[in-house]
Amino acid sequence: MKHRLTSVSVFAIGAALGVSPAFAQQALPTITIGHTHAVSHTHGGKTHTHEVYHTHVVPAPRLTVAQPAPAAPAGPTPPPITSSSEKFFTGKEVNSIPFARPGEALEIVPGLAVTQHSGEGKANQYYLRGFNLDHGSDLALYLDGMPLNMRTHGHGQGYADANFMIPELLGYVLARKGPYDAQDGDFSSAGSIYLQYKDKIDKGFYQFTGGSFGYGRALAIAPYKDFAGGSAYGAVESQYYNGPWERGDNLRRINSVFRWQRGTQEDGAAVTFMGYANRWYSTDQIPERAVNSGLLSLWGTLNPTDGGDTTRFSLSGRWSQTEGNHSSRVEAYVVRSTLDLYNDFTYFLSNQNLGDQFRQFDRRWMAGVNAQHSIKWDSFGLPVETRIGLQGRYDDIRLGLQNAFRRTPFETVRNDGVGEGSISFWTDTTVRWTPWLKTVTGGRFDYFNANVNSLQSLWGSPVVATSAGLPAFLWTGPFNSGSKDSALFSPKASIILGPWAKTELFANYGEGFHSTDARGTVQRFSTSELSDQDSFSVVAPIPLLVKSRGAEIGARTKFIEGLDSSVSFFWLNLDSENQFEGDSGTTIYGRPSRRYGVEIANHYRPVSWINFDGDVALVHARYRGFDTGQALAYADLLTPEALPYGTFLGNAPGNYLQNSVAITAMGGLEIGEATGWFGAIKYRYIGPRPLTEDGYLKSPATGTVNARLGYRWADGWRLQLDAFNIFNSRSDQITYGYGSLLPSDPLYGQCRAGVAPSAVCGVGVMDRHFKPVEPPAVRVTFSGPLNFDGGPVTTLPNFAEPFGPLAKN
């Protein structure tokens, strides 16, 4: 029998091959099939054969054509959230709000305030959860897996310089508060911030920025789509800034990044080079009495030679692989950094003739590796994921402290070579017990070893006076050498409940730590004074690792459409608090402390072109225990001969944590689409805080408002105006409370003449020392596409386009 397909609905074929979303989930039309077959019959004695055509209407089966998968969200995918305070931000979100310096881009993290008390090349000051984190002592910062915090640093323990960061390259920022994640180690008691540069740049661009007080910045980013089996991009940045100061910063900064990558973050590889150099002068904090008396203007300085220079070069690599239920990731890095700082915080307190300027220097090589492997498996039908990690780091350091006059060192207080290494193992396991209950339990083991070798020479050591008034070399360096090791185990645990009505509840506990300056762990004798018997003053060494313990409960909800809200209640205990010391410009080992408080954060996007962020943090922070050493020093200031000088004010023993912020608040509003007009405004509030442990000296509150207005063209051009401190706040960027001495102080002459008691002259005049918020400033940015593919030169944008509707009217 012969069959022939005679008709098939053309529309049916089209529907089978590709159905538009409008016809999804619809039955296909009926298909009409015709065929012929041979029929034989006899008529008139003859057999006749002919074909008979039949048609059959066959109802088409009902097919379900899947909807096209929604497009993958632009940008990186956030990891699973394990605490109410954990936040994830894309690079676009970071750059949508105006900020004056690179470190301020981190203020997108709720509760974090970033400021500066010195020149723009020095690491920022950080405030978070009741910490004055100095330059990073308990806030761990990472960029592309490389730790930014420096152990045993010349200026301060945990020094974390983020000035080399290029915010436009950020792919995402992941912020975690507290020591609850097994992956977080040294310096993470207050929190950890992971910064990740983009792996791929689709379109190159350049931009120029100019503004008030001599500000100028140029940035160019160029992609290379096919490069050595992957893709690559390069970025070059230069910057100049003078500032409103009478002694201009004269900041000169150059920065570069080159990255090659293949694949993705989860399954691929990348190699990155970064190079950075910066040189500047700095106007440091100034005493309030000098401004009130007219001796100094608000923008003046007492030492115009203060400043510094720094460099940083790094080579890092990443390899990752995901296969089935297994995923691995390895990051390795080598960093070379240098820093020279000249500061003068106490003026003529220690040396009434040459002044108190000192030089701090740091030269280091740092190498490290981070490796982790994750396995997803089933346990009695429950989904489980286990992560295992290894972290290793070694710092080869040369650092020291020298007294200086106009940037010329004349005696060496410390000069050391330090080798400090650590190895850490961590693991955690996540179990989904029910659809509404998940737990994460784990811990980490850290081992640290440090070797300190003093390089201080006899002739370079400080000269001090004996009880008989004779000069003596304070050559303690060789006796402050040695080695120290320490180990800690830190358990971690989290419980996640929900979601119910788009709401999740969290409970977290963790132990963490921060390392201390390795020099202090082997120090036996004071580097600044003799004993009453004219022998070396004995000091007690400090632990290498200091434990912290913290807990948090909170909730996150998206119950209201477009609104992401969280509230977190936390407490944190430290076995020792890092303290800033004015006369040495570094951090010292302090008493135990306790903090507790609440953070509230909101992110609201009611429509696509409006975005609002608002957060507030309330913290209660105090020392624990009694300060015996301060009580003894205070008693010396209460003697009959010392009491009339009033130096006891601000020096009583107490439990206030110096510079601990009780209230911080941030608010931001962003409007605009991908093209067309856009704008933003940001408000930052830092509440008043005690400057001395007895609370006698306090700082004022700080509130500033920054704003942005601009226009984006469809072909990649952008014109933007940023305005800073638009309401001309006359508050402080940073404030400290301590003693200093000026030639204009009556006490200065009495100390030089030997009239005032030594205890009084050792403290000086207690005062509030501050750096003011910079006055209103504006910056204009013009950006356009940058293309190296040999295409035609891009023409300038249509500058009449933003005013098109007005022109028509």
Side-chain angles (χ1 to χ4, degrees):
M1 183 172 61
K2 183 179 178 182
H3 292 79
R4 182 174 70 227
L5 178 64
T6 57
S7 71
V8 177
S9 170
V10 175
F11 183 79
I13 295 176
L17 294 178
V19 180
S20 70
F23 291 94
Q25 304 294 331
Q26 300 296 319
L28 293 178
T30 57
I31 302 174
T32 303
I33 300 177
H35 71 274
T36 60
H37 63 91
V39 177
S40 299
H41 62 92
T42 302
H43 179 70
K46 294 182 179 180
T47 301
H48 301 273
T49 302
H50 56 89
E51 292 183 336
V52 178
Y53 180 80
H54 292 271
T55 61
H56 302 275
V57 177
V58 182
R62 185 174 183 85
L63 299 180
T64 301
V65 181
Q67 290 273 12
T77 303
I81 299 298
T82 57
S83 71
S84 56
S85 59
E86 187 172 338
K87 301 293 181 181
F88 181 89
F89 306 95
T90 65
K92 181 178 180 297
E93 291 172 321
V94 173
N95 286 280
S96 63
I97 300 296
F99 47 82
R101 50 182 62 93
E104 288 182 6
L106 303 180
E107 289 188 339
I108 194 170
V109 177
L112 176 64
V114 181
T115 185
Q116 181 60 269
H117 81 103
S118 189
E120 294 300 326
K122 191 176 179 181
N124 296 112
Q125 298 281 131
Y126 305 97
Y127 292 111
L128 181 68
R129 286 199 164 181
F131 279 89
N132 168 30
L133 294 159
D134 196 41
H135 299 290
S137 56
D138 282 286
L139 175 65
L141 298 177
Y142 302 88
L143 176 61
D144 284 359
M146 296 181 289
L148 303 190
N149 303 76
M150 299 296 181
R151 303 165 177 168
T152 311
H153 189 267
H155 182 66
Q157 182 68 359
Y159 184 89
D161 185 3
N163 285 299
F164 70 95
M165 178 180 65
I166 301 178
E168 290 85 352
L169 293 182
L170 286 173
Y172 69 81
V173 174
L174 173 63
R176 289 196 287 256
K177 311 284 184 63
Y180 317 129
D181 196 288
Q183 191 174 356
D184 302 332
D186 199 7
F187 305 117
S188 63
S189 296
S192 303
I193 300 178
Y194 290 85
L195 310 167
Q196 182 68 48
Y197 274 171
K198 297 175 182 177
D199 272 343
K200 189 176 181 180
I201 301 290
D202 294 324
K203 296 180 180 179
F205 68 92
Y206 68 90
Q207 68 181 39
F208 298 101
T209 304
S212 306
F213 310 120
Y215 183 89
R217 180 180 183 241
L219 172 67
I221 301 176
Y224 307 95
K225 295 181 180 178
D226 297 310
F227 189 92
S231 64
Y233 67 82
V236 179
E237 176 197 31
S238 64
Q239 181 184 331
Y240 180 84
Y241 184 55
N242 223 25
W245 322 109
E246 292 179 359
R247 177 43 170 121
D249 282 358
N250 193 26
L251 177 139
R252 291 144 291 166
R253 172 182 183 231
I254 189 167
N255 201 2
S256 63
V257 175
F258 182 83
R259 165 166 287 181
W260 171 90
Q261 71 88 31
R262 182 173 62 192
T264 65
Q265 282 279 334
E266 294 75 24
D267 203 336
V271 178
T272 305
F273 166 80
M274 301 182 192
Y276 165 74
N278 199 342
R279 178 170 292 182
W280 68 96
Y281 287 94
S282 64
T283 296
D284 294 337
Q285 63 261 26
I286 54 178
E288 185 178 34
R289 66 186 185 277
V291 176
N292 292 341
S293 67
L295 175 67
L296 207 61
S297 81
L298 196 62
W299 318 109
T301 179
L302 287 164
N303 196 327
T305 64
D306 286 350
D309 62 82
T310 185
T311 64
R312 184 188 186 278
F313 299 92
S314 68
L315 182 65
S316 61
R318 183 195 75 239
W319 170 87
S320 58
Q321 184 180 67
T322 300
E323 187 173 350
N325 292 328
H326 293 256
S327 62
S328 302
R329 184 182 180 94
V330 179
E331 300 168 328
Y333 54 88
V334 178
V335 179
R336 168 64 175 175
S337 69
T338 68
L339 177 68
D340 280 286
L341 277 178
Y342 293 90
N343 291 309
D344 187 352
F345 299 139
T346 53
Y347 320 118
F348 291 90
L349 179 66
S350 299
N351 191 320
Q352 280 86 47
N353 296 312
L354 298 179
D356 295 351
Q357 188 184 73
F358 55 88
R359 176 194 181 218
Q360 295 168 315
F361 63 89
D362 190 282
R363 311 275 187 275
R364 77 176 60 212
W365 285 94
M366 180 175 70
V369 62
N370 307 313
Q372 73 174 64
H373 184 77
S374 117
I375 309 169
K376 295 180 180 179
W377 50 289
D378 288 337
S379 175
F380 300 100
L382 300 176
V384 180
E385 181 177 2
T386 297
R387 299 188 303 168
I388 303 172
L390 166 70
Q391 298 168 350
R393 171 178 169 180
Y394 183 79
D395 292 48
D396 182 11
I397 315 164
R398 174 74 181 273
L399 76 166
L401 172 65
Q402 298 172 305
N403 293 321
F405 175 71
R406 296 179 181 174
R407 292 202 178 193
T408 301
F410 59 85
E411 58 186 16
T412 301
V413 180
R414 299 281 321 221
N415 185 5
D416 298 280
V418 178
E420 185 168 357
S422 65
I423 187 77
S424 309
F425 300 94
W426 63 272
T427 183
D428 63 19
T429 296
T430 303
V431 182
R432 172 67 73 176
W433 299 93
T434 70
W436 51 267
L437 173 62
K438 182 172 71 173
T439 61
V440 183
T441 55
R444 62 179 292 128
F445 173 80
D446 293 272
Y447 172 77
F448 278 60
N449 178 268
N451 292 279
V452 180
N453 179 29
S454 174
L455 304 173
Q456 184 193 50
S457 67
L458 171 63
W459 303 111
S461 60
V463 177
V464 296
T466 65
S467 58
L470 300 175
F473 288 103
L474 194 60
W475 187 40
T476 59
F479 314 106
N480 287 328
S481 298
S483 62
K484 181 74 173 181
D485 60 3
S486 185
L488 275 178
F489 175 74
S490 305
K492 320 276 186 174
S494 299
I495 301 174
I496 300 97
L497 300 172
W500 298 293
K502 299 182 181 180
T503 301
E504 290 182 296
L505 306 178
F506 301 84
N508 310 90
Y509 173 81
E511 297 182 6
F513 69 96
H514 65 234
S515 60
T516 62
D517 193 312
R519 294 171 295 178
T521 67
V522 299
Q523 185 168 349
R524 298 172 179 84
F525 302 104
S526 170
T527 60
S528 59
E529 60 183 1
L530 292 172
S531 70
D532 294 337
Q533 292 76 36
D534 291 340
S535 60
F536 290 161
S537 295
V538 178
V539 298
I542 62 177
L544 182 58
L545 302 181
V546 174
K547 173 76 75 174
S548 63
R549 299 170 180 84
E552 181 179 305
I553 58 172
R556 294 172 64 105
T557 181
K558 296 182 179 180
F559 180 76
I560 299 175
E561 188 67 28
L563 176 62
D564 186 350
S565 298
S566 65
V567 58
S568 306
F569 299 88
F570 67 90
W571 67 263
L572 180 67
N573 286 358
L574 266 70
D575 287 351
S576 169
E577 187 76 21
N578 279 322
Q579 286 181 258
F580 175 80
E581 187 178 69
D583 57 357
S584 65
T586 189
T587 52
I588 60 173
Y589 189 81
R591 284 187 288 156
S593 63
R594 171 175 294 133
R595 293 170 175 83
Y596 58 85
V598 58
E599 289 179 339
I600 302 171
N602 296 280
H603 177 87
Y604 185 44
R605 184 181 288 273
V607 293
S608 63
W609 56 276
I610 295 180
N611 190 45
F612 171 79
D613 288 279
D615 59 80
V616 62
L618 309 174
V619 184
H620 182 273
R622 295 290 187 272
Y623 284 116
R624 292 181 290 148
F626 184 73
D627 193 345
T628 304
Q630 187 63 33
L632 295 174
Y634 185 63
D636 290 337
L637 300 175
L638 293 178
T639 59
E641 61 272 14
L643 194 62
Y645 291 92
T647 317
F648 61 90
L649 297 172
N651 281 297
N655 286 327
Y656 286 104
L657 270 164
Q658 296 96 318
N659 252 308
S660 174
V661 182
I663 304 175
T664 59
M666 303 280 177
L669 175 65
E670 178 195 358
I671 58 174
E673 298 283 9
T675 59
W677 286 99
F678 64 93
I681 192 166
K682 172 188 172 183
Y683 172 72
R684 178 184 69 171
Y685 175 82
I686 305 173
R689 49 207 178 275
L691 302 178
T692 55
E693 65 179 61
D694 62 355
Y696 175 75
L697 293 177
K698 296 181 176 64
S699 77
T702 299
T704 56
V705 178
N706 300 336
R708 170 176 293 172
L709 180 65
Y711 190 85
R712 284 186 285 254
W713 284 262
D715 51 1
W717 294 92
R718 174 171 55 93
L719 183 62
Q720 175 179 302
L721 173 68
D722 289 337
F724 304 98
N725 190 19
I726 61 177
F727 295 117
N728 195 19
S729 170
R730 290 297 188 181
S731 190
D732 302 345
Q733 289 195 62
I734 189 72
T735 319
Y736 297 102
Y738 55 82
S740 61
L741 203 57
L742 300 173
S744 58
D745 294 327
L747 183 62
Y748 174 83
Q750 295 171 359
C751 289
R752 291 200 66 177
V755 176
S758 59
V760 172
C761 294
V763 172
V765 179
M766 292 295 293
D767 200 0
R768 188 173 71 89
H769 299 75
F770 69 100
K771 183 167 185 176
V773 172
E774 297 177 35
V778 295
R779 296 175 188 173
V780 178
T781 298
F782 184 64
S783 175
L786 184 64
N787 211 336
F788 290 116
D789 60 3
V793 177
T794 305
T795 59
L796 290 174
N798 178 10
F799 289 106
E801 179 183 309
F803 310 101
L806 295 178
K808 291 179 181 179
N809 293 333

